[in-house]
Amino acid sequence: LLDPAKAMKKQLPANEKGLIVKEVNNGPGRVAGIQTNDVIKSINNIKITDADSYNQAMGVAGDNRKNVLEIIRNGNTGMVILG
């Protein structure tokens, strides 16, 4: 998870929240354009602030539906659609 120290290293506000992508395997994430070091801020409008919120978002997400991820890459916020 993104903590204040990691946020500052990425030149983001110290209070920014999200999940840092450490590795992208072959699969929907790679196809959609997710990259190592992207920060996932939300999944299907569920804000990722801690492990519980990530698990909740993943419980709602499904392989057979479109999932919208809000990400930060190189200081810019954007959307990625999986599925």
Side-chain angles (χ1 to χ4, degrees):
L1 289 171
L2 188 66
D3 60 34
K6 291 175 185 171
M8 298 294 278
K9 284 182 182 179
K10 292 182 167 291
Q11 298 181 338
L12 299 171
N15 64 347
E16 188 70 72
K17 302 290 184 193
L19 178 71
I20 301 171
V21 176
K22 293 294 184 186
E23 182 178 351
V24 182
N25 297 321
N26 289 332
R30 182 178 299 272
V31 171
I34 298 289
Q35 297 178 10
T36 302
N37 292 316
D38 283 353
V39 176
I40 300 174
K41 289 184 58 162
S42 69
I43 301 172
N44 297 327
N45 292 319
I46 299 172
K47 299 283 185 205
I48 307 302
T49 58
D50 55 26
D52 288 338
S53 61
Y54 173 76
N55 289 332
Q56 177 189 5
M58 292 307 295
V60 172
D63 290 338
N64 296 323
R65 64 175 287 209
K66 290 190 179 194
N67 295 291
V68 180
L69 283 66
E70 180 182 12
I71 66 163
I72 302 172
R73 179 181 299 148
N74 300 324
N76 299 307
T77 302
M79 299 292 194
V80 173
I81 299 174
L82 299 178

